[in-house]
């Protein structure tokens, strides 16, 4: 059996950061269902936050102010110790990334450039034009080549093996051969990313099915705050490709069909640079009031920025608009609408990225520490992925070198591998039934219609009732292709089961939370209720169905206030 | 109106030869070719294999040959093709693993060979490196490369000599050579001072033509050649870097 000290699942920023900081004496490998540089981190655009104080308008910035903005942005659901840790580590992390080769944009004098972003008191978002994710991901991959990290590319993890509260290993399948492979590990780090494609309209890559989150849940690890789903205000109408917040950071306006900057009605001080939950709701409301275009979208107007600034600071956006909408933002406003973008919730971990299962860690979007609470600020996700990815690599290493690892036995892993093999055989034996891609599309429609920006009891209940129906449909789905090689439909079968768990967790958390906080807006409970709901939702899988618990939020020096911008 | 899509199918485990399968499909007005492929797969044949991820021309997964042109499927609009029959094939110069999926192994091997990582001197400077944006202009251009292998597939040198490192790997090296933070040694550069390295390029600029990100790899290779001549001369006279 293949055996490693640490197995990291996911080759995006969090996974690579974990691999780079794991103890070099340990045997470490990264498993990724795509080649690592195809991971969704590559699509991040606008930047990464750190209170460097390089912008003349931000010279008084400090990591505490960054933490304050993060916590206020989270609608006070972030754990304050976690937010402080991230913001403090942000500063040395930027210099390390620079030393690794990230081609950050620069200010005169040669220091890393910083731009304003939503919900931030100072311009503190470091960037590489509007290709920050690509530059970070490629750089971290380059560093992993330098450090000779072992990769299993195009392997999909199908199962996390946890027994008696201890993580033992994984079951994976190699896409190229279709072989089922049991893997033993002393520690496992999940860095599997978000679940955007549970929704119909999402800025996420097609591969973001969120199966890692569902897999951890099935293995008995709780999920935290899953009801908090970020909708990005500005996705390109039609394709829902992300149009970075940096477009507003650089000075772009959002305009309704009256030609008015309507954000003055919703966030008179911050205007377009209010946090994402507020701007997304404002756009949705304008469209519902009939102030949109074609009753679908509003305009993001960059024309006044001028050709040179657009070309220099937002070249990727210009390219996206030309490719996917046939317009040049230099001359024409961009049609935009909100779309699912990010998951604040995820696998329940503490500030060391440890989950309740011994030896199992998680970092990045699949995890919930929680630093983003009920709403994440732009520029904090890349930071979260890298800072907590590194912490996960260190924590998993310490767990092993400190002798915490379970006395390993191959048998439970073999058992799981056999069970999985049986499941695959059963699916393959069906010669008719549903098409799994069609079943998946049904789930997306339900989630978009019933658990979107505005929520209320009845639609959430209706959606929950659909979950078992879809589960049954998926269990009748069959595989068209004969061969085992690159059988992508089988992968969707495997991942879809996990997606149903993810969807159920979102719906259940949203139904139970009878208040409005950050991204979770209940039209039937439209105010924040700190007396009852200043707490994290924890969802645990049991034989009898999901169990809900609640956990206190870690409050330190940042006092609760009304969230006005 | 429905269009015919002739898609190359091949499973090396069971098929003797690749063959074309024809699908009738009616794309939506704004569909990209990646969306067309997904719809054909989702609605007609879920066994059709092709790579994809971001669908916004930044992950480099979906480079294919469409109507004889190498391109990213996600960046190519169906409407722009303007043909009654659309022929979809995998990238040339790389072996087919299944249908439209090819084996990137030689491409990644070349990438690893050039030492694709910044080699700075000393520890992390306290406030980061001080580099003016003007010094990074070429770095910005070359780092937009998404490693999709379009250039490698289009390169006639890679067709006839599989040992050739190819445009993407070489331009990646050039990206570091142009970076003021990088202090790699003469020996590191010498690795590509070979007929299968920088001197292998035929300078026919096919890579520049097909690059979906306007990286212009051939310019990078040209820059490396000039750099190498200078470095060799310096080395000859004992002025080591």
């Amino acid at each position: 059996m293949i055996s490693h000290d640490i197995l990291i699942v996911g080759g995006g920023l969090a996974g690579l950061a974990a691999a780079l900081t794991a103890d070099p004496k340990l045997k470490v490998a990264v498993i990724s269902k795509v080649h690592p540089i195809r991971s969704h981190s590559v699509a991040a655009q606008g930047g990464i936050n750190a209170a460097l104080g390089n912008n003349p308008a931000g010279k008084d910035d400090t990591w505490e102010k960054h933490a304050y903005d993060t916590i206020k942005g989270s609608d006070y659901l972030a754990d304050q110790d976690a937010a402080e840790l991230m913001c403090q580590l942000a500063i040395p992390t930027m210099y390390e990334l620079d030393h690794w080769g990230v081609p950050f944009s620069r200010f005169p004098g040669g220091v890393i450039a910083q731009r304003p972003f939503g919900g931030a008191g100072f311009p503190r978002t470091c960037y590489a034009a509007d290709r920050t994710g690509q530059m970070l991901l490629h750089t971290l991959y380059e560093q992993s080549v330098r450090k000779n990290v072992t990769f299993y590319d195009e392997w999909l993890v199908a199962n996390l093996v946890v027994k008696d509260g201890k993580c033992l290993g994984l079951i994976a399948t190699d896409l190229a051969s279709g072989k089922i492979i049991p893997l033993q590990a002393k520690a496992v780090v999940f860095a599997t990313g978000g679940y955007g494609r549970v929704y119909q309209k999402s800025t996420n890559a097609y591969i973001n099915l969120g199966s890692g989150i569902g897999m951890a849940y099935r293995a008995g690890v709780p999920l935290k705050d899953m009801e908090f789903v970020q909708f990005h205000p500005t996705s390109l109408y039609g394709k829902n490709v992300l149009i970075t917040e940096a477009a507003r950071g650089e000075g772009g306006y959002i305009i309704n069909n009256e030609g008015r900057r309507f954000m003055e009605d919703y966030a008179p001080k911050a205007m377009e640079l209010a946090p994402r939950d507020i701007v997304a709701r404002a756009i949705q409301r304008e469209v519902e009031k009939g102030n949109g275009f074609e009753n679908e979208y509003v305009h993001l107007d960059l024309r006044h920025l001028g050709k040179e600034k657009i070309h220099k600071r937002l070249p990727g956006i210009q390219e996206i608009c030309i490719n996917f909408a046939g317009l040049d933002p230099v001359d024409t406003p961009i049609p935009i609408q909100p779309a699912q973008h990010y998951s604040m919730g995820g696998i329940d971990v503490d500030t060391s990225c440890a989950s309740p299962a011994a030896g199992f860690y998680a970092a990045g979007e699949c995890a919930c520490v929680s630093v983003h609470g009920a709403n994440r600020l732009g520029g904090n996700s890349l930071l979260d992925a890298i800072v907590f990815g590194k912490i996960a690599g260190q924590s998993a290493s310490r767990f092993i070198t400190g002798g915490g690892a379970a006395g390993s036995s191959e048998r439970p892993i073999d058992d799981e591998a056999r069970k999985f093999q049986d499941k695959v055989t059963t699916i393959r034996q069906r010669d008719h039934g549903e098409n799994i891609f069609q079943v998946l599309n049904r789930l997306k429609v339900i989630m978009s219609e019933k658990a979107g920006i505005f929520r209320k009891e009845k639609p959430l209940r209706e959606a929950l009732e659909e979950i078992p129906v879809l589960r049954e449909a998926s269990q009748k789905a069959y595989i068209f292709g004969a061969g085992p090689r690159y059988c992508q439909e089988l992968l969707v079968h495997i991942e879809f089961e996990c997606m149903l768990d993810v969807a159920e967790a979102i719906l259940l958390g949203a139904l139970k939370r009878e208040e409005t906080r950050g991204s979770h807006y209940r039209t039937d409970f439209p105010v924040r209720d700190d007396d009852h709901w200043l707490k994290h939702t924890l969802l645990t899988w049991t034989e009898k169905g999901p169990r809900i618990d609640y956990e206190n939020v870690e409050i330190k020096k940042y006092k609760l206030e009304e969230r006005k911008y | 109106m429905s269009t015919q899509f002739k898609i190359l199918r091949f499973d090396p485990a069971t098929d003797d030869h690749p063959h074309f399968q024809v699908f009738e499909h009616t794309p939506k007005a704004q569909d990209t070719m990646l969306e067309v492929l997904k719809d054909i797969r989702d609605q007609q044949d879920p066994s059709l294999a092709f790579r994809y991820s971001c669908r916004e021309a930044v992950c480099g997964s979906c480079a294919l040959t469409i109507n004889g042109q190498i391109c990213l499927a996600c960046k190519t609009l169906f409407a722009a093709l303007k043909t009654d029959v659309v022929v979809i094939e995998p990238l040339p110069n790389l072996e087919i693993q299944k249908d439209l999926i090819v084996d990137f192994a030689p491409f990644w091997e070349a990438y690893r060979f050039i030492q694709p990582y910044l080699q700075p001197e000393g520890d992390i400077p306290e406030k980061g490196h001080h580099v003016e944006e003007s010094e990074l202009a070429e770095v910005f251009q070359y780092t937009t490369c998404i490693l999709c292998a379009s250039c490698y597939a289009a390169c006639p040198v890679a067709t006839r000599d599989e040992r050739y490192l190819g445009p993407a790997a070489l331009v990646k090296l050039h990206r570091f050579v142009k970076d003021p933070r990088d202090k790699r040694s003469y020996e590191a550069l010498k690795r590509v001072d070979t007929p299968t390295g920088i001197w292998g390029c035929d300078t026919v600029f096919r890579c520049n033509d097909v690059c979906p990100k306007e990286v212009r790899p051939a310019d990078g290779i040209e820059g490396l050649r000039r750099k190498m001549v200078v470095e060799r001369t310096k080395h000859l006279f004992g002025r080591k870097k």
Side-chain angles (χ1 to χ4, degrees):
Chain A
M1 188 180 291
I2 296 177
S3 178
H4 285 272
D5 291 315
I6 305 177
L7 279 173
I8 297 161
V9 185
L13 282 177
L16 295 181
L20 290 172
T21 44
D23 187 332
K25 290 189 288 294
L26 298 175
K27 195 179 163 200
V28 179
V30 177
I31 303 178
S32 174
K33 68 174 178 177
V34 291
H35 185 282
I37 65 146
R38 321 290 186 212
S39 305
H40 183 56
S41 303
V42 82
Q45 298 171 351
I48 176 165
N49 295 336
L52 303 183
N54 287 347
N55 190 313
K59 61 182 191 308
D60 297 328
D61 200 8
T62 61
W63 67 260
E64 286 94 341
K65 289 173 182 162
H66 181 188
Y68 167 79
D69 288 339
T70 300
I71 290 160
K72 184 179 173 192
S74 82
D75 221 346
Y76 298 91
L77 193 69
D79 287 317
Q80 300 193 357
D81 55 340
E84 285 195 321
L85 178 68
M86 178 178 80
C87 298
Q88 208 169 354
L89 289 174
I91 297 166
T93 300
M94 284 320 111
Y95 298 133
E96 185 175 37
L97 291 169
D98 183 39
H99 198 61
W100 282 350
V102 174
F104 283 115
S105 298
R106 303 278 161 167
F107 279 147
V111 296
I112 296 170
Q114 296 189 277
R115 59 163 57 121
F117 244 53
F122 295 95
R124 69 166 73 91
T125 306
C126 309
Y127 58 95
D130 55 358
R131 302 187 176 105
T132 315
Q134 186 192 341
M135 298 306 140
L136 291 172
L137 186 66
H138 281 232
T139 302
L140 262 62
Y141 185 69
E142 289 159 12
Q143 289 300 310
S144 67
V145 169
R146 179 172 72 90
K147 292 203 167 176
N148 220 357
V149 173
T150 302
F151 283 98
Y152 298 113
D153 292 342
E154 297 192 332
W155 286 24
L156 177 76
V157 169
N159 241 321
L160 170 69
V161 185
V162 173
K163 204 154 193 284
D164 303 326
K166 292 187 183 101
C167 175
L168 303 177
L170 300 165
I171 314 300
T173 165
D174 169 13
L175 275 67
S177 69
K179 284 203 183 84
I180 292 170
I181 301 160
L183 299 116
Q184 191 177 42
K186 292 185 181 133
V188 169
V189 178
F190 263 27
T192 55
Y195 53 66
R197 291 288 162 177
V198 167
Y199 283 85
Q200 197 176 27
K201 283 179 188 164
S202 172
T203 63
N204 283 196
Y206 286 150
I207 59 169
N208 284 24
L209 305 184
S211 58
I213 298 173
M215 235 171 266
Y217 177 63
R218 278 291 161 134
V221 182
L223 303 183
K224 185 157 73 193
D225 294 341
M226 288 293 285
E227 60 270 36
F228 297 101
V229 180
Q230 180 161 79
F231 293 85
H232 197 289
T234 62
S235 82
L236 186 65
Y237 171 63
K239 303 280 182 206
N240 298 116
V241 171
L242 176 67
I243 303 295
T244 173
E245 188 164 307
R248 286 170 282 142
E250 296 289 353
Y253 298 148
I254 303 180
I255 307 278
N256 63 14
N257 68 7
E258 299 162 340
R260 197 163 69 83
R261 289 176 68 191
F262 58 86
M263 280 311 297
E264 66 189 4
D265 303 340
Y266 301 87
K269 261 166 67 188
M271 295 293 285
E272 282 86 354
L273 284 180
R276 290 176 178 173
D277 56 335
I278 293 169
V279 183
R281 276 195 293 272
I283 294 171
Q284 191 81 0
R285 287 233 195 268
E286 286 299 303
V287 172
E288 281 170 13
K289 278 197 271 184
N291 296 341
F293 300 88
E294 300 176 49
N295 279 324
E296 292 276 1
Y297 58 86
V298 294
H299 277 154
L300 175 62
D301 195 345
L302 307 183
R303 290 175 297 180
H304 56 286
L305 303 184
K307 197 173 175 172
E308 198 185 332
K309 190 166 187 182
I310 291 174
H311 194 71
K312 199 168 166 200
R313 296 292 185 218
L314 303 165
I317 291 308
Q318 193 177 21
E319 193 187 319
I320 285 168
C321 290
I322 292 169
N323 286 344
F324 299 108
L327 64 88
D328 188 338
V330 171
D331 318 306
T332 315
I334 310 167
I336 51 109
Q337 66 178 182
Q340 191 285 344
H341 181 60
Y342 186 83
S343 162
M344 269 73 73
I347 300 165
D348 174 34
V349 295
D350 61 20
T351 51
S352 73
C353 297
S355 79
F360 179 64
Y361 299 80
E365 191 174 342
C366 74
C368 180
V369 178
S370 149
V371 283
H372 309 305
N375 172 64
R376 175 175 70 75
L377 292 190
N380 269 354
S381 69
L382 296 177
L383 181 62
D384 167 17
I386 293 174
V387 163
F388 286 102
K390 286 172 69 175
I391 290 176
Q394 290 159 356
S395 298
S397 301
R398 267 201 308 273
F399 173 75
I400 294 166
T401 53
S408 50
S409 151
E410 292 189 1
R411 191 188 290 163
I413 307 170
D414 274 329
D415 288 348
E416 283 297 325
R418 248 191 313 277
K419 266 193 240 165
F420 179 63
Q421 178 68 67
D422 292 347
K423 190 155 101 186
V424 172
T425 309
T426 314
I427 299 172
R428 283 197 173 281
Q429 276 166 350
R430 290 182 208 131
D431 57 1
H432 68 286
E434 302 247 14
N435 169 342
I436 193 71
F437 291 106
Q438 309 280 4
V439 185
L440 171 58
N441 284 334
R442 277 158 61 190
L443 173 67
K444 291 177 178 187
V445 172
I446 291 165
M447 291 303 285
S448 285
E449 283 177 1
K450 301 188 188 284
I453 295 179
F454 294 110
R455 299 156 172 195
K456 65 178 175 193
E457 185 181 342
K458 192 164 167 272
L460 289 170
R461 279 195 194 283
E462 288 165 356
L464 268 170
E465 283 162 17
E466 291 291 331
I467 299 290
V469 179
L470 291 171
R471 201 179 297 280
E472 211 183 308
S474 75
Q475 281 159 1
K476 286 184 192 147
Y478 80 112
I479 289 181
F480 286 63
R485 297 164 63 91
Y486 281 102
C487 185
Q488 291 166 314
E489 45 178 333
L490 175 66
L491 307 182
V492 175
H493 273 265
I494 297 165
E495 294 199 78
F496 184 68
E497 268 188 57
C498 305
M499 294 174 81
L500 286 174
D501 287 332
V502 166
E504 189 174 24
I506 296 167
L507 294 167
L508 212 55
L511 176 68
K512 298 287 175 189
R513 187 175 283 273
E514 296 185 333
E515 66 156 351
T516 284
R517 184 182 298 273
S519 67
H520 174 67
Y521 195 98
R522 283 283 299 258
T523 52
D524 42 358
F525 299 94
V527 286
R528 192 174 86 192
D529 177 0
D530 289 328
D531 292 340
H532 297 98
W533 289 105
L534 185 61
K535 52 192 184 185
H536 298 296
T537 306
L538 281 177
L539 205 69
T540 311
W541 187 86
T542 75
E543 294 281 354
K544 284 179 270 175
R547 189 186 77 223
I548 293 197
D549 300 293
Y550 292 96
E551 190 181 78
N552 285 337
V553 176
E554 186 70 31
I555 306 283
K556 289 179 79 180
K557 65 184 176 208
Y558 306 91
K559 299 272 176 290
L560 270 69
E561 335 167 345
E562 194 190 351
R563 214 164 139 251
K564 270 194 169 160
Y565 289 93
Chain B
M1 203 186 73
S2 118
T3 301
Q4 286 197 340
F5 294 89
K6 274 180 76 175
I7 303 178
L8 190 123
R9 305 296 304 264
F10 183 49
D11 185 342
T14 51
D15 305 341
D16 291 335
H17 306 286
H19 61 280
F20 282 101
Q21 186 176 353
V22 179
F23 294 93
E24 296 273 343
H25 175 70
T26 309
K28 296 183 289 297
Q30 289 300 313
D31 272 357
T32 65
M33 283 306 295
L34 184 63
E35 288 167 317
V36 167
L37 277 170
K38 259 178 79 18
D39 282 345
I40 289 174
R41 182 197 64 180
D42 292 3
Q43 295 157 18
Q44 298 190 40
D45 187 348
S47 72
L48 177 65
F50 53 98
R51 286 198 182 96
Y52 54 86
S53 173
C54 76
R55 63 80 171 89
E56 55 186 82
V58 69
C59 79
S61 299
C62 67
L64 293 172
T65 312
I66 298 177
N67 283 349
Q69 304 288 319
I70 291 170
C71 59
L72 295 179
C74 72
K75 202 185 156 182
T76 305
L77 291 175
F78 163 73
L81 296 174
K82 296 188 169 53
T83 51
D84 301 330
V85 180
V86 175
V87 182
I88 307 174
E89 299 163 279
L91 286 182
N93 285 355
L94 295 162
E95 264 182 50
I96 300 175
Q97 287 175 295
K98 186 172 175 194
D99 298 343
L100 302 174
I101 295 179
V102 292
D103 187 355
F104 268 59
F107 179 82
W108 292 122
E109 205 177 308
Y111 169 86
R112 296 181 87 96
F113 179 82
I114 60 98
Q115 301 182 339
Y117 39 85
L118 193 79
Q119 301 183 15
E121 263 170 8
D123 296 331
I124 302 172
E126 200 181 325
K127 290 270 171 187
H129 292 269
H130 279 65
V131 191
E132 290 298 333
E133 201 156 275
S134 55
E135 297 177 86
L136 287 169
E138 280 185 82
V139 175
F140 292 150
Q141 180 194 331
Y142 296 125
T143 49
T144 55
C145 171
I146 56 174
L147 299 167
C148 66
S150 290
C151 57
Y152 188 92
C155 176
V157 185
T159 309
R160 65 172 186 262
D161 186 352
E162 62 181 22
R163 295 165 306 168
Y164 178 51
L165 294 172
L170 292 171
V171 77
K172 173 65 80 176
L173 174 60
H174 189 55
R175 165 255 175 279
F176 290 110
V177 166
K178 294 308 277 186
D179 194 319
R181 297 168 295 181
D182 192 88
K183 311 288 182 210
R184 71 185 58 216
S185 66
Y186 179 60
E187 283 68 34
L189 274 181
K190 281 291 281 181
R191 292 167 70 83
V192 300
D193 189 11
T194 62
T196 54
I198 53 172
W199 306 106
C201 171
D202 272 356
T203 58
V204 293
F205 308 112
R206 286 283 291 133
C207 53
N208 286 4
D209 296 340
V210 299
C211 177
K213 304 301 280 188
E214 293 175 43
V215 172
R216 300 188 61 83
D219 301 10
I221 299 172
E222 196 53 40
L224 277 177
R225 286 177 170 184
R226 281 197 302 271
K227 168 86 176 167
M228 192 60 74
V229 171
V230 173
E231 290 302 315
R232 266 196 213 161
T233 316
K234 274 193 205 164
H235 205 75
L236 209 61
F237 292 100
R239 285 173 49 203
K240 284 185 210 166
K241 195 174 137 186

